[in-house]
């Protein structure tokens, strides 16, 4: 079989799986971001829900959010659970957190032995905090999946270590340092839901993740300042009102934030049916404020930030 035939076959496979060619291009030298899920909670957008992998020198080191379908994309990306240093959750809506049990169950069939830290927001009357969320999933005797309680007690090959990061206040705060990387967070306004935006500094590069937010706290520009890449969630069109606007930021606010933070590249993700097909309109609104590169995310897409 010649190279042309092989290439065509690979393209057909990518079309069927919806992954694009990211699995063969991400995981190279330097720092890269892979979009595992570019969609929201809908079942009709043909996208996995929110999930992002930060790669360095061929290893998938940090995972940000893990909504439904993101673990299938994780597998398709070639990422290894053994390499993962930390999981960061922006908030605990289903479309950002539901694949956590899938990752933990799947890890049983891996060679991982290192403990796995997991960071997420504090809670309120509507949402548990990060620790309570994990306990409700896995702890004995009443956890939904308490047969996996060994990942909390230390009876399995590694422990899942949940940490609560306050979603109160407006200040950017350091959260943790790993081998060659630093993580910071800031509270953001996502209606009544406690939520965080994340900043990752790794390999001389900076990545920022807005999560779901409407911009009312005005905290994201400080967190994303000078970022090489900002993943901003684009769930509503310009002019949206009501509950959707209370939860999410329109393109004009995305553009204002990207311009104020002076980010080098803007990636629009968490794309929903109310914004799909309106990319030109959204880009026009953003361009009124931000002049840098803009990309509309797709599942499996890989962005190389360099060495």
């Amino acid at each position: 079989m010649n190279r042309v035939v092989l290439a065509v076959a690979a393209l057909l496979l990518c079309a069927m799986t919806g992954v694009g060619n990211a699995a063969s291009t991400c995981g190279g030298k330097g720092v890269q971001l892979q979009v595992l899920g570019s969609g929201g909670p809908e079942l009709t957008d043909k996208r996995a829900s929110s999930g992002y992998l930060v790669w360095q020198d061929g290893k998938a080191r940090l995972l940000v959010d893990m909504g439904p379908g993101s673990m299938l994309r994780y597998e398709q990306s070639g990422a290894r659970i053994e390499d993962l240093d930390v999981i960061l959750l922006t908030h605990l809506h289903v479309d950002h957190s539901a694949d956590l049990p899938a990752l933990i169950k799947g890890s049983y069939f891996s060679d991982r032995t290192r403990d796995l830290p997991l960071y997420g927001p504090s809670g309120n009357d509507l949402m548990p905090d990060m620790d309570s969320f994990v306990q409700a999933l896995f702890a004995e005797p009443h956890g939904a999946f308490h047969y996996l309680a060994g990942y909390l007690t230390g009876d399995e090959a590694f422990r899942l270590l949940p940490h609560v990061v306050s979603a109160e206040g407006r200040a950017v705060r350091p959260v943790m340092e790993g081998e060659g990387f630093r993580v910071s967070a800031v509270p953001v306004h996502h209606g009544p839901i406690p939520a965080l935006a994340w900043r990752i500094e790794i390999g001389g590069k900076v990545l920022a993740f807005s999560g779901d937010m409407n911009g009312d706290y005005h905290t994201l520009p400080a967190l994303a300042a000078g970022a090489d890449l900002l993943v901003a969630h684009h769930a509503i069109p310009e002019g949206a009102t009501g509950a959707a606007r209370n939860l999410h930021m329109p393109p004009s606010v995305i553009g204002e934030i990207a311009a104020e933070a002076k980010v080098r590249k803007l990636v629009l993700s968490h794309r929903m049916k109310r914004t799909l097909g309106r990319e030109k309109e959204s880009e026009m609104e953003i361009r009124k404020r931000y002049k840098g590169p803009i990309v509309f995310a797709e599942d499996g897409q890989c962005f190389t930030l360099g060495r």
Side-chain angles (χ1 to χ4, degrees):
M1 191 177 294
N2 63 37
R3 291 182 178 180
V4 173
V5 174
L6 285 171
V8 172
L11 288 172
L12 288 173
L13 178 61
C14 290
M16 290 187 290
T17 60
V19 181
N21 63 359
S24 62
T25 57
C26 220
K29 291 293 184 181
V31 177
Q32 297 174 301
L33 171 73
Q34 188 155 29
V35 178
L36 299 179
S38 61
E42 297 161 319
L43 299 177
T44 53
D45 61 359
K46 299 180 174 60
R47 297 167 183 269
S49 296
S50 295
Y52 311 98
L53 266 179
V54 178
W55 293 76
Q56 185 181 32
D57 296 334
K59 293 184 177 182
R61 300 195 61 189
L62 299 96
L63 173 62
V64 181
D65 282 351
M66 46 196 318
S70 61
M71 288 303 95
L72 172 60
R73 301 301 191 209
Y74 188 94
E75 178 182 355
Q76 291 169 332
S77 76
R80 288 166 21 98
I81 181 65
E82 293 89 344
D83 295 333
L84 195 60
D85 287 307
V86 64
I87 300 171
L88 310 172
L89 296 187
T90 59
H91 64 291
L92 300 182
H93 268 152
V94 170
D95 55 319
H96 296 258
S97 64
D99 267 9
L100 177 58
L103 178 71
I104 298 306
K105 176 60 180 177
S107 69
Y108 177 83
F109 302 95
S110 75
D111 294 323
R112 185 180 184 97
T113 57
R114 288 189 296 147
D115 290 344
L116 179 57
L118 168 65
Y119 292 82
S122 54
N124 63 8
D125 291 342
L126 293 176
M127 284 284 173
D129 63 36
M130 187 73 260
D131 183 64
S132 299
F133 176 72
V134 169
Q135 299 298 321
L137 285 175
F138 303 121
E140 292 180 323
H142 302 302
F145 306 105
H146 62 262
Y147 77 101
L148 297 174
Y151 289 99
L152 300 182
T153 63
D155 293 329
E156 290 292 349
F158 69 91
R159 291 179 302 161
L160 181 65
L161 303 177
H163 300 272
V164 177
V165 179
S166 176
E168 299 293 327
R170 302 291 185 271
V172 176
R173 59 179 65 96
V175 171
M176 61 93 66
E177 290 194 24
E179 186 177 342
F181 69 87
R182 292 188 296 180
V183 175
S184 305
V186 75
V188 291
H189 188 287
H190 186 38
I193 305 301
L196 302 167
W198 292 100
R199 176 186 177 99
I200 298 170
E201 300 172 51
I202 182 170
K205 304 297 179 181
V206 177
L207 304 92
F209 302 83
S210 74
D212 290 357
M213 52 162 279
N214 74 356
D216 281 2
Y217 286 175
H218 306 288
T219 53
L220 185 57
L223 180 89
D228 295 281
L229 188 150
L230 168 63
V231 178
H233 282 185
H234 176 38
I236 60 172
E238 196 67 28
T241 58
R245 180 63 184 88
N246 189 43
L247 292 170
H248 298 287
M249 53 184 170
S252 57
V253 173
I254 294 174
E256 289 169 2
I257 291 169
E260 183 177 348
K262 296 181 172 59
V263 301
R264 292 181 173 84
K265 178 175 286 188
L266 178 63
V267 175
L268 302 176
S269 190
H270 201 284
R271 302 169 63 194
M272 297 181 65
K273 292 188 73 177
R274 56 197 173 199
T275 59
L276 292 170
R278 303 179 68 171
E279 289 79 11
K280 289 185 178 179
E281 173 189 328
S282 295
E283 184 170 357
M284 182 176 66
E285 285 294 334
I286 293 170
R287 286 276 177 233
K288 292 177 182 178
R289 300 152 181 90
Y290 173 71
K291 306 306 180 183
I294 300 170
V295 180
F296 290 86
E298 302 289 347
D299 286 17
Q301 200 165 18
C302 185
F303 299 92
T304 298
L305 282 70
R307 301 185 183 184

